[in-house]
Amino acid sequence: MSTSQIHALSHNRCRALLASVPLGRVAFVRDGQPVIRPVNFTVTADAVWLRSGRNSWADRIGGQVVTFEADAYDSGDHTGWSVIVTGVACLVTDVATVAAQFGPGLRSWAPPPRDRLLRIGLDRIDGRRITLRADAGDATGPGPP
């Protein structure tokens, strides 16, 4: 049998894991309520980049502190990782930056047009990985916790 253990991830490992998946979630506050949106993204050394449509939620969160999360898991092994970024969201209008980021890596699964570019700075990045550890008992089995 096995049990799980949780490991904190380094800043560099968090960035590498973010780069390994195409879909994450951005969380922000709208009208005093928390909102979460699934988004396609790319990551660079200093930011997470998202595409969105004109007159969408992204146009209204510029200058706000937001949280971004991406993860992956293996449901059979009960292992996986999660990375959470907290940073200021900025709507980017500089033509050179937009052109550089709108490459093949930043495609949106949502219907077009997706002509807005949102940058979330990596002001804070934290990650955790849950792995299996060989053990005498199974923490998910029956019995008292």
Side-chain angles (χ1 to χ4, degrees):
M1 295 291 183
S2 62
T3 59
S4 302
Q5 58 187 27
I6 296 175
H7 307 277
L9 300 171
S10 72
H11 185 88
N12 288 339
R13 186 67 182 139
C14 286
R15 281 199 333 257
L17 288 169
L18 284 176
S20 73
V21 295
L23 190 68
R25 292 150 214 86
V26 64
F28 53 95
V29 175
R30 182 176 68 200
D31 299 328
Q33 298 295 314
V35 177
I36 299 173
R37 294 282 184 260
V39 293
N40 299 98
F41 72 99
T42 58
V43 64
T44 59
D46 65 345
V48 170
W49 299 88
L50 318 172
R51 287 180 80 159
S52 70
R54 192 172 298 268
N55 298 318
S56 72
W57 55 268
D59 283 346
R60 294 183 290 278
I61 66 170
Q64 277 192 39
V65 174
V66 301
T67 298
F68 176 83
E69 189 271 346
D71 56 47
Y73 64 93
D74 181 321
S75 62
D77 285 341
H78 300 266
T79 60
W81 59 266
S82 173
V83 173
I84 297 174
V85 171
T86 303
V88 176
C90 298
L91 191 61
V92 177
T93 58
D94 172 68
V95 174
T97 303
V98 171
Q101 293 301 322
F102 271 22
L106 188 54
R107 290 199 173 123
S108 177
W109 293 357
R114 295 287 175 222
D115 59 354
R116 297 300 233 202
L117 180 64
L118 193 68
R119 178 189 184 275
I120 301 172
L122 298 182
D123 300 345
R124 181 176 176 176
I125 185 168
D126 295 296
R128 302 182 333 156
R129 178 184 295 278
I130 188 165
T131 60
L132 295 178
R133 176 181 76 206
D135 202 30
D138 185 348
T140 63

